[in-house]
Amino acid sequence: FTLIEYKNLFQKNQKLITDSVMVSSLTTIITIIFSTSIAIYERYSHNKLKKFILPILFLTMISPPFVSSLAYINLFGRRGLITHKLLHLTIDPYGWHGIVMMQALSEISLSAILIIGVLQGIDKNLINASRDLGASPYETIKRVVLPSAKSGIIVAGFIAFVKSLADFGTPIIIGGNFKFLATESYLTVIGRSNLPKASAMSVLILVPAMLVFAFYRYHMKDLQLFTNTGSKTFESGETGFELKGPLNTFLGILTWFFIIVMILQYVTIFGSAITYYNGKNYVFTLKHIKLMRYGKWGSFFRSIRYSLIAGISTSFIGLLLSYYIERRRFIGSKIIDFIATLPYIIPGTFFGIGYILAFNNRPLILTGTEIIVILNCIFRQIPIASKAGSAVLTNMNPEIENAAKDLGVPKIFVIKDIILPLLKPAFLISFINTFTTTMTTVGAIIFIISPGAKVATVEMFNT
């Protein structure tokens, strides 16, 4: 036992912590602004094209971070298609601004979908009453919609912050000379083979993450107290509310700007598979397709199998966890909530190394098996499921459950017939997030994948 790695740890890495928190904060702010704007526009605008927004949001969740970063370089790099070819500019894409942009782009889709799920549960009578009393669309959004959607916004911000703080894939590709705490921890293991020091550096990530978690729990507690007044209910039917004027234009600009950027990114990804750059122009080719060996398809189908198992398991476990934390409120529920959040705070590479150290000896020897990969993916994504469930539960009237209990319904049937059906939006969000994340993850499983059982993203990363 020794604490030598913690000696002067904070002083030596103070700039790393400051820079990492700065980037994570900027990423969170941008994510909240865009995701909230997109959610409100998708929910209340009468633009006929808005029906394409949700499918595009789901589609943009399936790209591996390192592939998106390469697409960003191709579009906005020193020789990028947009910056150099179109605008004749030479811009350095590397640095903190590149990290912020790519992390925000990768988080906006999930955050927007989560907030849309919360907006669907807002009592429509409140919006109708606001409009009947003469409130403008801006006042209705400000005084009714945003306060009612506060739980989703807080959850989205919390997820974006801790995910940005623990990200190593994006900074390692486009960070350039900018040093990021999670990346430096990873390089300390890979480049210097110093696992104790790297683990100590990863512990530093817990400090700002714990502060943000305390902020999250404090505000979610207030929201839960507000919900218990019974003032929020689910009502069917449509509202007469429609976004108009400058507010509709502003939200539309932010929404379609994001959509256009994501479309350009995916066009670039697909285009890269059938072209190559000869120094002057991009030339069509099928050689990349021909290089795809038949054996690679096994990794692809293996990824789908892992993703389906992880998606279903994570969603059920996470939603049940959120129910017991937010509704049952037993002693120690906040501690369990924090422990359940830890997998998202710890950098993915160290979460994987932890599994190697924990399951490499008796009584559970799982190293080299499929089970250890699936378990890693399940527990890595449980925080998303539990936070999505918590966001929806704050908009769910507890009187429905109380009425069932007063009628003598057993607790198991309250969960099966009332809670789970009302948590369908959170289940959908959790399943899609876990499925796509498992399909695209690299850092958390790169050390625990056996050589003969690789998944698609590891094959891509090695290529």
Side-chain angles (χ1 to χ4, degrees):
F1 177 81
T2 178
L3 294 175
I4 190 172
E5 296 295 345
Y6 291 91
K7 185 179 181 181
N8 299 322
L9 181 66
F10 181 81
Q11 290 81 355
K12 293 178 180 178
N13 298 281
Q14 186 173 359
K15 181 172 174 53
L16 274 177
I17 298 174
T18 304
D19 291 344
S20 298
V21 171
M22 181 267 293
V23 168
S24 299
S25 300
L26 290 175
T27 299
T28 303
I29 292 171
I30 295 173
T31 299
I32 290 176
I33 292 174
F34 273 86
S35 59
T36 304
S37 300
I38 293 170
I40 293 174
Y41 185 81
E42 193 279 337
R43 185 66 181 159
Y44 299 114
S45 172
H46 283 201
N47 189 326
K48 294 181 180 180
L49 294 177
K50 77 171 189 177
K51 62 184 179 181
F52 297 106
I53 295 177
L54 206 54
I56 291 175
L57 291 177
F58 284 125
L59 176 65
T60 53
M61 292 174 60
I62 65 174
S63 175
F66 58 88
V67 175
S68 301
S69 299
L70 294 175
Y72 164 75
I73 295 172
N74 288 334
L75 287 171
F76 304 104
R78 294 187 180 95
R79 292 294 183 267
L81 292 174
I82 294 179
T83 52
H84 183 72
K85 293 286 185 180
L86 186 62
L87 302 177
H88 303 290
L89 299 174
T90 301
I91 298 177
D92 186 0
Y94 305 100
W96 67 267
H97 56 282
I99 299 174
V100 170
M101 180 180 294
M102 289 312 304
Q103 286 184 342
L105 287 176
S106 64
E107 294 301 319
I108 288 173
S109 295
L110 173 63
S111 299
I113 292 171
L114 196 152
I115 296 174
I116 289 172
V118 175
L119 290 178
Q120 291 175 348
I122 294 178
D123 187 354
K124 298 177 177 63
N125 290 330
L126 295 175
I127 297 176
N128 290 331
S130 174
R131 298 295 288 148
D132 291 342
L133 292 171
S136 65
Y138 171 76
E139 290 173 328
T140 302
I141 293 294
K142 178 182 178 181
R143 300 180 183 277
V144 178
V145 175
L146 288 178
S148 300
K150 187 177 179 181
S151 60
I153 296 172
I154 291 175
V155 169
F158 173 72
I159 292 173
F161 184 88
V162 297
K163 192 173 181 179
S164 170
L165 198 64
D167 182 23
F168 90 98
T170 303
I172 205 170
I173 292 178
I174 61 174
N177 294 326
F178 184 85
K179 295 183 178 181
F180 206 69
L181 188 56
T183 304
E184 288 299 305
S185 301
Y186 172 76
L187 294 177
T188 301
V189 174
I190 299 300
R192 307 181 187 94
S193 299
N194 193 340
L195 180 58
K197 182 179 180 180
S199 300
M201 292 173 66
S202 294
V203 172
L204 289 176
I205 297 177
L206 296 179
V207 178
M210 288 177 66
L211 294 176
V212 174
F213 179 81
F215 174 86
Y216 158 79
R217 283 309 317 170
Y218 174 79
H219 285 278
M220 290 298 288
K221 177 182 178 182
D222 289 345
L223 289 172
Q224 188 65 47
L225 289 173
F226 174 66
T227 301
N228 286 339
T229 63
S231 61
K232 291 185 179 182
T233 58
F234 283 95
E235 297 289 345
S236 61
E238 296 296 328
T239 69
F241 179 59
E242 177 183 359
L243 286 176
K244 295 180 180 178
L247 179 61
N248 182 59
T249 302
F250 175 74
L251 296 180
I253 290 174
L254 292 182
T255 299
W256 294 114
F257 173 78
F258 172 75
I259 297 296
I260 290 172
V261 170
M262 297 308 294
I263 291 175
L264 286 173
Q265 175 180 298
Y266 275 76
V267 168
T268 303
I269 293 173
F270 291 124
S272 298
I274 56 174
T275 60
Y276 75 94
Y277 189 65
N278 63 4
K280 294 182 179 180
N281 299 302
Y282 285 90
V283 181
F284 176 79
T285 180
L286 291 177
K287 68 176 184 179
H288 306 308
I289 306 297
K290 294 178 180 178
L291 288 174
M292 282 288 295
R293 297 191 300 272
Y294 177 77
K296 300 291 184 182
W297 289 104
S299 300
F300 178 74
F301 291 116
R302 190 177 296 112
S303 294
I304 294 178
R305 185 172 73 252
Y306 291 175
S307 300
L308 286 173
I309 297 173
I312 295 173
S313 303
T314 299
S315 300
F316 276 111
I317 296 173
L319 295 184
L320 288 176
L321 187 63
S322 67
Y323 170 72
Y324 278 92
I325 291 172
E326 301 297 339
R327 282 289 198 262
R328 304 297 286 273
R329 297 197 168 195
F330 54 89
I331 297 175
S333 60
K334 294 181 180 178
I335 297 176
I336 292 180
D337 188 20
F338 176 71
I339 293 174
T341 308
L342 280 176
Y344 228 66
I345 298 174
I346 301 172
T349 51
F350 290 91
F351 192 64
I353 290 173
Y355 269 62
I356 295 175
L357 299 176
F359 302 114
N360 199 35
N361 296 297
R362 296 183 183 279
L364 288 176
I365 303 177
L366 302 178
T367 306
T369 66
E370 292 187 352
I371 296 176
I372 193 173
V373 180
I374 295 173
L375 287 176
N376 182 284
C377 294
I378 289 174
F379 286 94
R380 178 74 172 167
Q381 298 305 319
I382 278 180
I384 299 292
S386 64
K387 299 302 177 289
S390 297
V392 174
L393 280 170
T394 56
N395 271 4
M396 187 186 299
N397 194 338
E399 292 178 359
I400 302 175
E401 305 160 52
N402 295 334
K405 293 176 183 178
D406 291 341
L407 292 172
V409 178
K411 293 180 180 179
I412 185 65
F413 287 100
V414 172
I415 295 175
K416 182 177 75 72
D417 298 329
I418 297 177
I419 299 300
L420 291 181
L422 291 176
L423 285 176
K424 282 183 179 179
F427 183 91
L428 179 63
I429 292 169
S430 172
F431 176 80
I432 293 174
N433 171 75
T434 304
F435 183 89
T436 56
T437 303
T438 303
M439 284 289 295
T440 60
T441 188
V442 177
I445 64 173
I446 196 168
F447 292 126
I448 61 177
I449 286 286
S450 58
K454 292 182 179 179
V455 294
T457 47
V458 174
E459 296 279 12
M460 294 167 60
F461 189 76
N462 291 337
T463 302

